Amino acid sequence: MQMVKKSGIVLIVAWFAILVLMPKQEFYYKLEEALSEQEIELNEEKIEEGLFSLNLHQVTVYFKGIPVATIEEMDLCTLLFYSSLELQGLHVDDSLKRMVPQETQKALLSHSILSPLKVSVDAEGSFGGMTGEIDLNARTVHLDFNESKDIEMLKPQLKKSEKGWFYETSF
């Protein structure tokens, strides 16, 4: 029994040490590098590193050199078995307001090792509430608009079901 207890303690300490000592900023820069291959650039005003998270403040998103959105705060948190990305205050550029909702107050993307090929999405904004899933294996995105408020600009891209409006595409 002592061996099991010691092994458990060693595993917990090792897990905690990996999380605390993980180079979070370098991980973020690697993500920026991968996004730049798709001509997407992120420009942040401030980076704060926590024990389990990385916070970015005033992030401007550029696509092909054109600013398309600003994010007040991004919080990337990982526990190795569960990771999440929380966006607060996502404002899309005025030139895109006919295609996408202009303001999203909060969005949460989460990934668990229990379903490694799926990313769940929850968001709320000027459009109401939205939940959905990104399936990395099937390369599909399915988003359900729960409390649809101001979605007139999205209706040409949405489909209607008995549960409400939804968006589905593949990538």
Side-chain angles (χ1 to χ4, degrees), residues 143-146 148 151 158-167:
L143 304 173
D144 293 313
F145 289 83
N146 305 333
S148 51
I151 61 168
L158 300 179
K159 298 175 185 167
K160 180 86 169 151
S161 72
E162 51 203 43
K163 294 181 181 178
W165 294 96
F166 70 95
Y167 174 76

Side-chain angles (χ1 to χ4, degrees), residues 48-109:
E48 294 176 348
E49 192 170 325
L51 282 180
F52 304 112
S53 65
L54 183 69
N55 294 356
L56 308 169
H57 299 279
Q58 296 301 321
V59 179
T60 305
V61 181
Y62 294 92
F63 180 68
K64 294 187 177 184
I66 300 168
V68 293
T70 58
I71 304 167
E72 289 177 19
E73 187 175 341
M74 282 176 64
D75 183 27
L76 176 63
C77 178
T78 184
L79 300 173
L80 296 182
F81 303 112
Y82 174 81
S83 299
S84 67
L85 175 66
E86 184 175 347
L87 309 175
Q88 292 186 8
L90 171 64
H91 304 283
V92 177
D93 190 60
D94 287 340
S95 62
L96 299 173
K97 68 181 177 184
R98 293 183 187 198
M99 296 184 285
V100 295
Q102 196 159 13
E103 187 171 329
T104 303
Q105 283 90 20
K106 186 177 180 181
L108 177 69
L109 288 88

Side-chain angles (χ1 to χ4, degrees), residues 17 40 42 45 78 84 118 133 153:
I40 299 171
L42 302 177
E45 194 173 285
T78 184
S84 67
K118 295 188 191 289
E133 183 176 85
M153 82 292 282

Side-chain angles (χ1 to χ4, degrees), residues 28-42 61-63 74:
Y28 168 69
Y29 293 136
K30 198 68 170 168
L31 174 66
E32 272 190 334
E33 191 178 300
L35 288 173
S36 69
E37 292 173 6
Q38 303 297 319
E39 297 186 67
I40 299 171
E41 295 178 27
L42 302 177
V61 181
Y62 294 92
F63 180 68
M74 282 176 64

